[in-house]
């Protein structure tokens, strides 16, 4: 097990480049099996979730190879329709493979997926959507078994705008017969990226980014060379880091429009932010007014994946902040650890009531999930004294070289094996 050793209390300065979006790359990897031609993904981050998804592709019979930051996938010889239990349980996004594996082989078998324990994330919407496309589904012994003679387009209404269900239905319907409509679809930028990727492969998809996505099934998809969108959550994490520590930084290869809700909040608390093309410049002299009220919402609302880092920011902002987590019911694992660092937080149900303190102090804390681990790291680099953050396997799922990027901005942080 690894942990960070952090000496806090330093302002940040410099520039950092944002990786490709984890939540965009994973469905693109799932989509790669829809063709028997070569797929090339540039700027592919070597984070654990991506490496686990690549391993799933290998188990299905694909050949994968990294050339620097470029991933090359050849699925011409893929023949296996079963996603290994051990890998599925490590990676929530393994469920994306259902739609694409069914579309390629007419059947699929997968163990119920894992990932961060941040609350119930049922796959019911995924399965309901696939059933609408003429997929027969049997659930037994912790496995989902799918069979389909022919995928047939359908008019599908999602009970809620689930990102995963929207993407999974797209991945199946793209090679179905006829037209599929997904109503009440999720609008996240990563869905737009999946549409762009598949359309470059020869798909006929429109409406991504709106509440209705239309898919005209095609018989065949071809290879593609593609660069995914930048990671809006990583960009937001580094913006919050500067807001907490003070200083100034340039966040390069970032899509400001995709984190407009966060940028609006940071400007409210006194951060100076300017945007030019794919660069975001942030400056904070050290004062932080109250964040007042934040509610996580589906895109374009405030992203749930930035709730933990912004909670850490609220801990050292003036006055009181109310944070409401509307998407996941157990996404406050970082709160007891922040309290160990001197934070004043009370959680009642889905709401966290944060009363700002002048500063946090160093402590030994444990990362309980991906974004909570990032939040504790930011708290530590802004705190007085020494801290350690243990169980970096969570952080490594979503951030590539996190400590090196923070160190390049002036944070005093190092990784050790324990």
């Amino acid at each position: 097990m690894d942990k960070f050793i952090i000496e806090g209390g330093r302002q940040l300065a410099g520039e950092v480049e944002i990786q490709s979006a984890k939540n965009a790359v994973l469905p693109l990897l799932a989509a790669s099996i829809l063709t028997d031609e070569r797929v090339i993904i540039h700027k592919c981050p070597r984070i654990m979730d991506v490496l686990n998804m690549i391993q799933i592709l290998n188990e299905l019979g694909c050949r994968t190879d990294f050339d620097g930051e470029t991933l090359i996938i050849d699925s011409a010889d893929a023949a296996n329709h079963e996603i290994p239990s051990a890998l599925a349980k490590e990676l929530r996004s393994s469920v994306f493979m259902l739609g694409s594996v069914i579309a390629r082989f007419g059947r699929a078998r997968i163990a119920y997926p894992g990932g961060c324990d941040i609350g119930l994330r049922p796959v019911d919407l995924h399965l309901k959507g696939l059933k609408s496309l003429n997929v027969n589904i049997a659930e037994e012994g912790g496995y989902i078994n799918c069979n389909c003679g022919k995928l047939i387009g359908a008019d599908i209404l999602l009970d809620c705008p689930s990102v995963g269900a929207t993407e999974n239905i797209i991945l199946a319907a793209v090679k179905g017969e006829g037209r599929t409509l997904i109503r009440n679809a999720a609008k996240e930028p990563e869905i737009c990226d999946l549409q762009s990727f598949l359309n470059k492969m020869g798909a006929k998809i429109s409406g991504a980014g709106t509440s209705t996505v239309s898919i005209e099934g095609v018989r065949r998809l071809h290879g593609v060379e593609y660069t995914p969108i930048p990671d809006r959550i990583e960009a937001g994490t580094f913006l919050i880091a500067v807001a907490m520590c003070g200083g100034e930084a340039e966040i390069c290869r970032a899509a400001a429009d995709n984190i407009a809700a966060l940028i609006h909040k940071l400007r409210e608390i006194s951060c100076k932010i300017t945007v030019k093309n794919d660069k975001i410049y942030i400056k904070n002299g050290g004062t932080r007014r109250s964040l007042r009220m934040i509610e996580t919402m589906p895109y374009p609302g405030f992203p749930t994946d930035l709730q933990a880092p912004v909670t850490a920011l609220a801990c050292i902002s003036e006055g009181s902040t109310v944070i409401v987590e509307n998407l996941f019911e157990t996404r406050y694992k970082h709160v007891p650890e922040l309290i160990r660092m001197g934070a004043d937080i009370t959680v009642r149900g889905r709401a966290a009531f944060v009363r700002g303190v002048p500063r946090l102090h160093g402590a030994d804390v444990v990362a309980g999930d991906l974004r909570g681990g990032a939040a504790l790291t930011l708290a530590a680099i802004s705190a007085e004294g020494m801290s350690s953050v243990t169980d970096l396997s969570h952080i490594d799922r979503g951030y590539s070289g996190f400590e090196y990027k923070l160190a390049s901005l002036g944070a005093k942080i190092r990784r050790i094996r324990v």
Side-chain angles (χ1 to χ4, degrees):
M1 183 182 295
D2 291 358
K3 70 177 179 180
F4 288 148
I5 303 297
I6 299 166
E7 181 182 332
R10 293 170 174 241
Q11 285 198 339
L12 302 182
E15 66 178 50
V16 63
E17 182 174 305
I18 298 305
Q19 68 189 26
S20 291
K22 174 180 88 79
N23 292 332
V25 172
L26 294 176
L28 301 192
L29 293 178
S32 68
I33 203 166
L34 291 168
T35 178
D36 57 7
E37 296 181 10
R38 181 172 291 189
V39 171
I40 299 172
I41 299 177
H42 297 293
K43 290 192 173 292
C44 184
R46 297 198 194 200
I47 53 179
M48 286 309 302
D49 273 9
V50 167
L51 297 178
N52 280 332
M53 186 66 96
I54 291 170
Q55 185 59 36
I56 289 173
L57 291 174
N58 291 338
E59 292 288 339
L60 295 177
C62 301
R63 288 180 291 172
T64 60
D65 183 51
F66 265 108
D67 181 6
E69 291 185 318
T70 297
L71 175 66
I72 303 165
I73 305 165
D74 184 347
S75 61
D77 297 328
N80 184 17
H81 69 278
E82 184 168 337
I83 298 162
S85 172
L87 289 170
K89 289 178 178 177
E90 285 293 318
L91 178 63
R92 171 73 187 177
S93 298
S94 61
V95 75
F96 292 137
M97 296 300 301
L98 268 182
S100 53
V101 171
I102 292 167
R104 174 74 182 263
F105 303 115
R107 55 182 177 161
R109 175 176 165 86
I110 184 175
Y112 274 93
C116 282
D117 180 16
I118 56 175
L120 294 173
R121 295 187 283 180
V123 297
D124 296 7
L125 291 177
H126 299 247
L127 303 185
K128 183 179 177 182
L130 293 173
K131 286 177 181 178
S132 298
L133 297 174
N134 198 39
V135 178
N136 297 311
I137 298 175
E139 301 173 62
E140 56 182 3
Y143 280 84
I144 304 169
N145 297 294
C146 304
N147 285 280
C148 179
K150 180 189 293 185
L151 288 162
I152 300 174
D155 194 331
I156 299 170
L157 174 65
L158 295 179
D159 294 334
C160 67
S162 162
V163 176
T166 300
E167 292 175 331
N168 220 342
I169 295 166
I170 290 172
L171 288 167
V174 71
K175 293 185 77 174
E177 184 178 285
R179 184 187 188 200
T180 296
L181 283 179
I182 308 173
R183 303 183 191 275
N184 196 29
K187 303 175 183 177
E188 272 68 6
E190 293 79 11
I191 294 171
C192 298
D193 208 41
L194 178 60
Q195 172 180 282
S196 177
F197 180 82
L198 288 169
N199 283 347
K200 284 194 72 174
M201 295 174 72
K204 297 178 180 178
I205 308 169
S206 60
T210 74
S211 60
T212 302
V213 178
S214 175
I215 308 107
E216 293 285 348
V218 297
R219 293 179 62 86
R220 189 174 184 276
L221 295 173
H222 53 73
V224 66
E225 190 166 344
Y226 195 79
T227 302
I229 59 172
D231 196 313
R232 59 193 172 106
I233 306 303
E234 188 193 28
T237 301
F238 282 103
L239 289 172
I240 292 170
V242 177
M244 291 183 69
C245 296
E248 56 187 309
E250 191 168 69
I251 314 300
C252 304
R253 195 179 175 252
D257 288 347
N258 293 344
I259 47 172
L262 172 67
I263 290 175
H264 176 74
K265 279 294 178 184
L266 293 179
R267 283 172 171 157
E268 273 189 359
I269 68 168
S270 76
C271 293
K272 295 180 180 179
I273 298 176
T274 56
V275 177
K276 186 175 182 181
N277 299 324
D278 67 346
K279 295 182 179 180
I280 306 172
Y281 173 79
I282 180 170
K283 183 176 183 178
N284 182 31
T287 60
R288 292 169 291 271
R289 293 192 290 268
S290 169
L291 289 158
R292 295 185 293 179
M293 178 81 176
I294 291 178
E295 286 196 65
T296 63
M297 301 289 287
Y299 187 85
F302 195 92
T304 181
D305 280 350
L306 287 176
Q307 179 260 107
V310 88
T311 299
L313 171 60
C315 291
I316 53 173
S317 297
E318 295 174 357
S320 296
T321 301
V322 178
I323 298 173
V324 181
E325 175 53 65
N326 288 309
L327 278 73
F328 299 113
E329 66 279 358
T330 60
R331 204 163 199 178
Y332 286 123
K333 285 186 174 182
H334 50 287
V335 167
E337 304 301 291
L338 288 171
I339 291 172
R340 288 170 59 85
M341 302 180 77
D344 185 352
I345 310 172
T346 302
V347 175
R348 293 177 185 158
R350 290 179 178 264
F353 301 87
V354 186
R355 290 158 290 276
V357 297
R359 63 188 63 83
L360 298 173
H361 56 73
D364 298 326
V365 295
V366 179
D369 58 66
L370 168 55
R371 306 306 175 183
L376 295 174
T377 303
L378 301 193
I381 64 174
S382 71
E384 275 191 349
M386 300 295 296
S387 297
S388 68
V389 181
T390 303
D391 201 353
L392 304 185
S393 61
H394 292 293
I395 295 172
D396 292 341
R397 286 186 47 237
Y399 295 90
S400 177
F402 193 40
E403 68 272 30
Y404 300 114
K405 290 182 179 181
L406 287 168
S408 74
L409 295 175
K412 195 163 186 181
I413 177 173
R414 60 190 174 94
R415 178 188 292 245
I416 64 169
R417 177 63 57 89
V418 293

